[in-house]
């Protein structure tokens, strides 16, 4: 085992990277909140650690999620990450077998062929030659794909890629150089000593006929070491910091740590874990339908990381969460955005929104929500259905509108939102109700996640399904095709996909749409975006409607008053809330028609 000056760039770069990363991780862990530290302590010695190791292998090395959405892109990421990991492991095993020692200097296995050019006669010699060459080829195929992606991203299934900052360029170009330089250095040495595997040996022999190998050998190893050193030094400042940070993220997330209502250590880990892969760009309706290309999560997170806030980027988002579903790292980008918006809020007086009257006692509290107030057909239908079911209910916001607090939180006014929620919570609990039903997916999400209510919280789709299953209401199936739109906050936000579909199957013929469930496209009316103009909103609505009407349904059905209102302004066919559909299909005892699962009523008789 020896030493040579050319190993210095690699060794110094690696030392810098390790010190920087461990320092940064220590700071992140030190600044975790008390609750998060308890979660961390509880999680470390539990099955969650094993789950995390598995996830690191599947996601950080094999890039399973990217594979599922885009196999070519998945292969590119996997060949670089997993291939390099295996190359390091195999190199260390080879060095250890050839020269057994308690520990080798880190450069020794990396530059093994330089220090041991004539290594032979050790167990598995031929196998190692083959494996090392094969892994190098595997990684080089990934580098070639990455290069190709930069030139023609569409060929790899990406309409848009991200623009690179200068430190990203430095890291990227040095990364691209590492493996070709390694191939060159090993081939030159193999050519001189007539050793090497199928690839390095053959290339060495070929080069020996073209160039004086002796004079190229040393510069080639220097170039390899310099590329490695440069990459390690640039990595912490570039997007490639996601490589080590994602591992920390996976462990902490599995321990139950999350970004909550304020920017925390964990939020910063999420920000550093963004690889700027750009996968969140194409699914974004702002990009696909409105042609707005600079506000997507990748740019918002980049601005947070480099402390370059941009109000346009922050505010011009529908908060629909499509990017959350698409993100292979699992970053909840909408939470980061809502927190970043806190910097630009102005105070409001939440008391102003509250009705001071005490809430009478009833079994069920019905809460329409602000948007429900603007769509009386929804609230009237809900009241009719509850009366038909004989429900003991109280319509909490019938007399005056009450805000649940979510719009404030989405706009970044978290302190005011919390204050408002406390007041509403007292009001709901004072009724003694056992069930809270709301027609608004936004209110549903916030009641469930932020209010910590000791009673059952239901969206009206769940409530209607329950009434149906309990036999408290009966429906007449109609000969009408219904296309169901999953509202962002109800579907992606709360995971409610099946109940509305089950209800609609009892009321008509449910037809498939182009982008269903978690792929559903925002209606364009989002309250989360306070700056998007009407023209762009309409483009998004049109795009969403095109996806919904692919099978030419008679009626579009949704379960969010805001979606209903937004679609109704642009749709060429009726748009109804699920409550209206159910009300219209209610079977009453004085109905002459026969109740049957298969009873079909013509579309023209389907009155709302
Ligand atoms: S937010 Fe997720 S999908 Fe978007 S660039 Fe970052 S890692 Fe990729
Ligand atoms: S939340 Fe929706 S609109 Fe906002 S960046 Fe993500 S996909 Fe685009």
């Amino acid at each position: 085992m020896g030493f040579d000056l050319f190993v210095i760039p690699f060794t110094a770069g690696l030392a810098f990277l390790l010190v920087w990363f461990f320092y940064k991780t220590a700071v992140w862990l030190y600044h975790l909140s008390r609750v998060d530290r308890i979660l961390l302590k509880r999680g470390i010695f539990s099955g969650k650690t094993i789950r995390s190791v598995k996830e690191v292998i599947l996601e950080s090395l094999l890039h399973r999620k990217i594979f599922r959405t885009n196999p070519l892109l998945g292969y590119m990421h996997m060949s670089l990450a997993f291939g390099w990991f295996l190359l390091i492991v195999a190199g260390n095993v080879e060095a250890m077998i050839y020269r057994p020692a308690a520990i080798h200097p880190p450069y020794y296995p990396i530059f093994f062929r330089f220090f041991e050019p004539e290594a032979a006669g050790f167990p598995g010699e031929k196998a190692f030659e083959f494996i090392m060459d094969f892994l190098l080829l595997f990684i080089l195929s990934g580098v070639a794909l990455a290069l190709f992606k930069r030139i023609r991203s569409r060929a790899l299934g990406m309409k848009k890629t991200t623009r690179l900052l200068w430190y990203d360029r430095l890291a990227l170009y040095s990364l691209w150089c590492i493996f070709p330089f390694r191939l060159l250095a090993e081939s030159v040495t193999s050519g001189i000593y007539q050793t090497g595997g199928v690839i390095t040996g053959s290339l060495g022999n070929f080069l020996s006929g073209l160039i004086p190998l002796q004079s190229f050998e040393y510069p080639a190893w220097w170039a390899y070491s310099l590329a490695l050193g440069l990459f390690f030094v640039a990595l912490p400042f570039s997007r490639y910091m996601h490589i080590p940070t994602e591992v920390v993220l996976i462990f902490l997330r599995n321990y139950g740590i999350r970004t909550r209502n304020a920017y925390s250590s964990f939020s910063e880990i999420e920000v550093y874990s963004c690889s700027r892969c750009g996968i969140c760009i194409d699914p974004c309706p702002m990009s696909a339908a409105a042609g707005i290309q600079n506000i997507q999560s990748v740019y918002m997170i980049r601005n947070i990381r480099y402390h370059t806030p941009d109000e346009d980027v922050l505010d011009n988002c529908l908060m629909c969460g499509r990017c959350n579903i698409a993100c292979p790292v699992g970053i909840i980008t909408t939470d980061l955005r809502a927190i970043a918006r806190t910097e630009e809020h102005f105070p409001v007086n939440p008391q102003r929104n509250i009705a001071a009257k005490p809430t009478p006692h009833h079994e069920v509290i019905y809460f329409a929500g602000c948007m429900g107030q603007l769509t009386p057909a929804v609230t009237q239908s809900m009241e009719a259905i509850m009366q038909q079911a004989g429900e003991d209910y109280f319509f909490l916001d019938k007399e005056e509108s009450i805000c649940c607090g979510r719009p404030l939180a989405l706009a970044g006014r978290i302190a005011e939102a919390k204050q408002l929620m406390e007041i509403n919570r007292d009001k709901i609990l004072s009724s003694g109700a056992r069930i809270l039903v709301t027609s608004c997916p936004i209110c549903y999400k916030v009641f469930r996640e932020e209010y910590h209510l000791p009673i059952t919280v239901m969206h009206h789709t769940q409530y209607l399904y329950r009434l149906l299953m309990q036999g408290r209401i009966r429906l007449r199936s109609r000969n009408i095709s219904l296309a169901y739109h999953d509202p962002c906050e109800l579907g992606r936000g709360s995971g409610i996909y099946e109940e509305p579909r089950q209800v609609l199957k009892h009321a008509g013929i449910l037809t498939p749409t182009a982008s269903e469930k978690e792929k559903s496209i925002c209606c364009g009316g989002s309250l989360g975006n306070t700056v998007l103009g009407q023209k762009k909103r309409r483009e998004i609505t049109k795009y969403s409607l095109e996806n919904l009407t692919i099978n030419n349904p008679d009626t579009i059905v949704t379960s969010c008053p805001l979606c209903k209102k937004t679609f109704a302004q642009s749709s060429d066919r009726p748009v109804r809330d699920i409550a209206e559909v159910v009300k219209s299909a209610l079977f009453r005892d004085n109905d002459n028609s026969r109740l049957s699962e298969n009873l079909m009523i013509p579309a023209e008789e389907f009155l709302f």
Side-chain angles (χ1 to χ4, degrees), residues 280 283-286 295-297 316-324 333-334 337:
C280 54
C284 174
M286 297 290 282
I295 60 88
Q296 285 69 27
S297 296
N316 205 359
C317 162
L318 301 163
M319 301 296 263
C320 69
R322 270 196 128 211
C323 47
N324 295 344
T333 68
T334 41
R337 195 184 289 265

Side-chain angles (χ1 to χ4, degrees), residues 246-382:
E246 190 187 346
V247 176
V248 181
L249 176 83
I250 289 172
F251 277 85
L252 296 187
R253 192 168 52 205
N254 279 322
Y255 296 152
I257 299 172
R258 298 275 179 278
T259 283
R260 295 195 178 88
N261 289 330
Y263 193 77
S264 63
S265 256
F266 185 79
S267 317
E268 187 157 301
I269 292 169
E270 283 192 303
V271 167
Y272 274 75
S273 297
C274 172
S275 61
R276 264 173 265 155
C277 62
I279 288 176
C280 54
I281 298 177
D282 286 348
C284 174
M286 297 290 282
S287 165
I292 297 172
Q293 311 289 2
N294 62 342
I295 60 88
Q296 285 69 27
S297 296
V298 58
Y299 305 117
M300 182 268 298
I301 293 176
R302 187 188 63 189
N303 289 350
I304 295 176
R305 177 159 173 200
Y306 295 110
H307 309 289
T308 51
D310 183 330
E311 284 185 17
D312 289 342
V313 174
L314 274 183
D315 292 342
N316 205 359
C317 162
L318 301 163
M319 301 296 263
C320 69
R322 270 196 128 211
C323 47
N324 295 344
I325 299 290
C327 177
V329 183
I331 300 169
I332 308 299
T333 68
T334 41
D335 285 352
L336 290 176
R337 195 184 289 265
I339 289 166
R341 286 177 175 182
T342 55
E343 300 300 317
E344 41 177 47
H345 72 266
F346 52 89
V348 295
N349 175 14
Q351 301 282 351
R352 203 180 50 201
N353 300 306
I354 306 300
K357 285 181 275 181
T359 313
H361 185 89
H362 287 276
E363 184 72 6
V364 171
I365 288 276
Y366 174 60
F367 185 90
C370 315
M371 286 311 298
Q373 299 287 343
L374 302 177
T375 49
V378 178
T379 54
Q380 284 161 9
S381 299
M382 280 305 293

Side-chain angles (χ1 to χ4, degrees), residues 398-441:
K398 187 170 187 170
E399 302 303 326
E400 60 183 317
S401 177
I402 300 175
C403 175
C404 68
R406 178 73 169 171
L408 283 173
L410 285 177
R413 300 169 194 168
I414 288 172
E416 292 88 343
K418 281 203 148 314
Q419 199 184 344
L420 183 59
M421 288 173 194
E422 273 307 311
I423 298 165
N424 286 348
R425 188 176 188 275
D426 291 346
K427 198 163 180 54
I428 293 164
L429 291 183
S430 72
S431 75
R434 288 197 309 114
I435 300 173
L436 171 65
V437 178
T438 179
S439 287
C440 172

